[in-house]
Amino acid sequence: MVTITLPDGSKREYPQPVTVAEVAASIGTGLAKAALGGKVGTGEAARLVDTSHLIEHDESLAIITDKQAEGLELIRHSTAHLLAYAVKTLFPEAQVTIGPVIEHGFYYDFSYKRPFTPDDLAAIEKKMVELAKKDEPVVRRVLPRDEAVAHFKSIGEAYKAEIIGSIPAGEDVSLYREGGFEDLCRGPHVPSTGKLKHFKLMKVAGAYWRGDHRNEMLQRVYGTAWATKEDLQQYLTMLEEAEKRDHRRLGRELDLFHIDEHSPGTVFWHPKGWTVWQEVEQYMRRVYRDNGYLEVKGPQILDQGLWEKTGHWDKYRENMFVTESEKRDYALKPMNCPGHILIYKQGIKSYRDLPLRYGEFGQCHRNEPTGGLHGIMRVRGFTQDDGHIFCTEDMIQVEVQAFTTLLQKVYRDFGFTDIIYKLSTRPEKRIGTEESWDKAEAALAEGLKASGCDFEYLPGEGAFYGPKIEYTLKDALGRPWQCGTIQVDPNLPGRLDAEFVGEDGARHRPIMLHRAIVGSLERFIGILIEQHAGALPAWLAPVQVVVASITDAQADYVQDVVKSLQKQGLRVQADLRNEKITYKIREHSLQKVPYILVAGDKEKASGAVAVRARGNQDLGVMPLQSFIEKLQGDIADKR
């Protein structure tokens, strides 16, 4: 007798071993039809299995359908195999390598004699549809490692044979077959290809075998797969909207910045883009000033010996730019923390000086691989709104609460209200006592709770020296961006001998809280551009107002209006060109200027302006002073 315990706590008994599919069928035909797999066991011991999995002993079981996240993962994993099946059907000489699930879909790497074309991609997708409609069963079998190697060598799949050959001798491996295609895989998979209905191939890119540039360049075919037609269409629509919002394209169209081959991974800011940068930086500088931070500035280059002492040389050497002068080795700083400790150490610090909050717009350099660079989102040279708080263990909770509340306000001002909070706790390999970890983790959790935040724990994801909170904002398209963080670090102050004199007269190590709100300014500005589709709010817009004349007769009046606006600290341009006013309005609308003021003879005579707001809104004619008050209200309210 086998007893199956279902998620609702109910139990079902079977006279003999039973498959997941048979359990689903015993519950109902609807569930049997919807079943994609099963989850056996509970807690950390739970694992996904095929519907053909045989349960021979009493077990907990959840039937997995496309309603659960695990079901969607099964669909995507199986669709990757369907892709390989289609490629092998159309291009028998192609060799298959690996095909994992990724966010929103999957990819599969192939070795083939020529690059796949867009027409090839369309043909492969069409073949996938045909194969899925056959509803062929996906069947699992197990072979000894050496037998599996021989099998794949015999069918000309050298890459698969190499993968299996790296598995320890004596182990068994599982293979999955659908129709005429068989692939190495741990599984599980959907029971038949007919379960795969809503997918699309997206693009082809290059990828080195095993990620090593010394190996062959393979062809990586990306695809997406979803549980329903509606989910697929929603995702594709989101991608179309994301393309419109792509900060790289908008950066060119709005003349904000460019990336140049003469300095890959760094940003050339144009006047308009640098204006946006300055607004973000000056805003964050006010945040520093108004919240007890002392702004500091450290050098770009620091001695190699310092990086060795902090431990960064061992961990980050490959990502550091190094240089030499007078037989002494240096590195461009990849982060600002050591410099802040060196500043802290100048002079004796007392417990009365704590908490001591330093902030820096520190320029850092990291030698990111070329393939990982992405516009201004991921660069080699970047500036952080970097802050470090030196405090005692008892101060952590209050500092975390204050920081979280401050971060929420900053994100609101920039137009982000949806924030995800994650608390990463102690990893298996760590330093410090259990008591210190207990206190640090509790302080972070209580700080979040006091700020009214719902959060999730990420067990084991903390740094080796302390726990941390990650703050992830969601943009207008629902995409997550992890920007903010606060990390507890008792380690680095000790490595660099930072101390303070306690109330007891003895010397103690401070706790160092690493914190950032926007993180990399380059990346954050890229996020802002995409969040607002280039139509930045008035307080951030590089040009807030354009004043346009209808004819040459209003030129002097337009110049007077411009001067009046400039005296109010507004960013304004005049457009006196001999062009039709409709042309001027259209051109500045495409540049996403928040307000266009039109001046004709009537406006000149009355000292007024005709106001057009972004989005083709005609606000009518108003006195210039009324418009100034309106715009100043927009700026003050961050509208």
Side-chain angles (χ1 to χ4, degrees), residues 545-607:
V545 188
V546 167
V547 187
S549 60
I550 295 178
T551 68
D552 289 344
Q554 299 92 40
D556 291 343
Y557 178 63
V558 165
Q559 295 287 20
D560 290 340
V561 169
V562 167
K563 290 177 182 178
S564 296
L565 295 172
Q566 288 175 334
K567 286 180 181 179
Q568 299 298 319
L570 301 171
R571 298 186 290 277
V572 57
Q573 290 181 353
D575 189 342
L576 302 174
R577 293 175 300 168
N578 186 23
E579 300 282 359
K580 292 182 178 180
I581 191 63
T582 52
Y583 175 85
K584 294 181 181 181
I585 291 172
R586 172 173 170 73
E587 188 174 77
H588 296 303
S589 296
L590 291 174
Q591 286 294 302
K592 305 184 187 294
V593 176
Y595 290 102
I596 302 171
L597 307 185
V598 177
D601 287 338
K602 291 182 180 179
E603 289 78 20
K604 178 180 178 180
S606 61

Side-chain angles (χ1 to χ4, degrees), residues 211-348:
D212 190 332
H213 66 88
R214 293 167 295 187
N215 292 336
E216 178 192 354
M217 175 69 76
L218 305 174
Q219 298 189 67
R220 177 167 294 176
V221 179
Y222 286 94
T224 188
W226 297 85
T228 67
K229 182 179 179 181
E230 292 73 22
D231 288 343
L232 173 60
Q233 188 55 53
Q234 184 178 5
Y235 176 69
L236 296 177
T237 300
M238 187 275 288
L239 288 182
E240 291 176 5
E241 182 62 28
E243 175 62 26
K244 296 176 187 176
R245 294 169 178 258
D246 190 310
H247 74 281
R248 295 166 297 181
R249 180 174 66 83
L250 290 170
R252 292 190 302 270
E253 293 177 357
L254 302 180
D255 193 24
L256 301 176
F257 61 82
H258 81 277
I259 306 295
D260 197 288
E261 63 179 10
H262 293 91
S263 184
T266 57
V267 186
F268 289 79
W269 291 99
H270 299 188
K272 288 183 180 179
W274 190 242
T275 298
V276 177
W277 171 285
Q278 286 295 317
E279 286 302 309
V280 174
E281 181 179 325
Q282 294 307 320
Y283 170 88
M284 293 306 301
R285 180 165 278 115
R286 291 191 293 274
V287 167
Y288 281 172
R289 182 193 65 204
D290 297 343
N291 290 275
Y293 287 84
L294 304 174
E295 187 175 343
V296 298
K297 189 69 174 176
Q300 289 289 294
I301 299 176
L302 293 166
D303 185 273
Q304 176 182 324
L306 177 70
W307 299 112
E308 291 172 346
K309 196 170 183 180
T310 63
H312 291 101
W313 192 257
D314 290 336
K315 294 179 181 297
Y316 297 104
R317 169 64 185 84
E318 292 184 357
N319 296 107
M320 297 171 75
F321 288 98
V322 297
T323 186
E324 180 269 338
S325 176
E326 297 180 341
K327 298 182 180 180
R328 189 173 175 182
D329 295 322
Y330 299 88
L332 283 172
K333 63 177 178 179
M335 62 273 298
N336 301 296
C337 349
H340 288 192
I341 295 179
L342 295 182
I343 294 172
Y344 172 90
K345 289 175 61 180
Q346 297 302 298
I348 298 173

Side-chain angles (χ1 to χ4, degrees), residues 294-579:
L294 304 174
E295 187 175 343
V296 298
K297 189 69 174 176
Q300 289 289 294
I301 299 176
L302 293 166
D303 185 273
Q304 176 182 324
L306 177 70
W307 299 112
E308 291 172 346
K309 196 170 183 180
T310 63
H312 291 101
W313 192 257
D314 290 336
K315 294 179 181 297
Y316 297 104
R317 169 64 185 84
E318 292 184 357
N319 296 107
M320 297 171 75
F321 288 98
V322 297
T323 186
E324 180 269 338
S325 176
E326 297 180 341
K327 298 182 180 180
R328 189 173 175 182
D329 295 322
Y330 299 88
L332 283 172
K333 63 177 178 179
M335 62 273 298
N336 301 296
C337 349
H340 288 192
I341 295 179
L342 295 182
I343 294 172
Y344 172 90
K345 289 175 61 180
Q346 297 302 298
I348 298 173
K349 300 296 187 294
S350 161
Y351 69 94
R352 293 188 181 90
D353 297 317
L354 306 182
L356 181 58
R357 307 180 189 96
Y358 288 153
E360 178 180 1
F361 299 101
Q363 189 172 9
C364 300
H365 289 83
R366 296 179 186 174
N367 192 11
E368 301 284 357
T370 302
L373 301 177
H374 179 72
I376 64 174
M377 297 284 204
R378 187 155 186 187
V379 290
R380 289 173 173 162
F382 58 95
T383 299
Q384 292 180 306
D385 73 312
D386 214 355
H388 293 92
I389 302 169
F390 296 90
C391 64
T392 66
E393 200 172 56
D394 295 335
M395 296 174 179
I396 295 174
Q397 179 182 331
V398 173
E399 290 300 315
V400 169
Q401 180 181 347
F403 173 75
T404 301
T405 301
L406 176 61
L407 174 141
Q408 291 168 334
K409 180 187 183 304
V410 170
Y411 285 0
R412 279 196 305 272
D413 285 349
F414 282 113
F416 302 102
T417 56
D418 193 352
I419 307 172
I420 301 167
Y421 306 89
K422 297 179 181 180
L423 172 51
S424 299
T425 60
R426 68 196 76 183
E428 184 176 342
K429 294 182 179 180
R430 57 184 180 271
I431 61 173
T433 65
E434 294 304 295
E435 181 184 6
S436 67
W437 277 92
D438 288 342
K439 287 183 178 180
E441 290 174 359
L444 294 185
E446 291 304 314
L448 286 172
K449 291 174 184 176
S451 302
C453 304
D454 293 326
F455 63 93
E456 64 176 290
Y457 284 96
L458 297 178
E461 294 296 316
F464 74 94
Y465 51 76
K468 64 179 178 178
I469 299 171
E470 292 181 349
Y471 303 84
T472 300
L473 56 85
K474 281 191 173 183
D475 68 11
L477 298 182
R479 297 174 300 180
W481 301 95
Q482 196 268 306
C483 294
T485 186
I486 187 163
Q487 303 178 22
V488 178
D489 185 359
N491 174 62
L492 201 57
R495 280 179 175 258
L496 296 185
D497 303 317
E499 298 176 330
F500 69 92
V501 178
E503 195 170 1
D504 59 0
R507 293 182 179 270
H508 302 269
R509 298 287 187 208
I511 298 292
M512 187 180 195
L513 301 180
H514 305 260
R515 48 108 288 170
I517 296 179
V518 303
S520 158
L521 267 69
E522 286 82 357
R523 179 171 178 264
F524 191 73
I525 291 171
I527 295 169
L528 280 173
I529 292 169
E530 297 198 1
Q531 161 77 359
H532 298 286
L536 295 169
W539 73 281
L540 283 173
V543 178
Q544 296 167 320
V545 188
V546 167
V547 187
S549 60
I550 295 178
T551 68
D552 289 344
Q554 299 92 40
D556 291 343
Y557 178 63
V558 165
Q559 295 287 20
D560 290 340
V561 169
V562 167
K563 290 177 182 178
S564 296
L565 295 172
Q566 288 175 334
K567 286 180 181 179
Q568 299 298 319
L570 301 171
R571 298 186 290 277
V572 57
Q573 290 181 353
D575 189 342
L576 302 174
R577 293 175 300 168
N578 186 23
E579 300 282 359

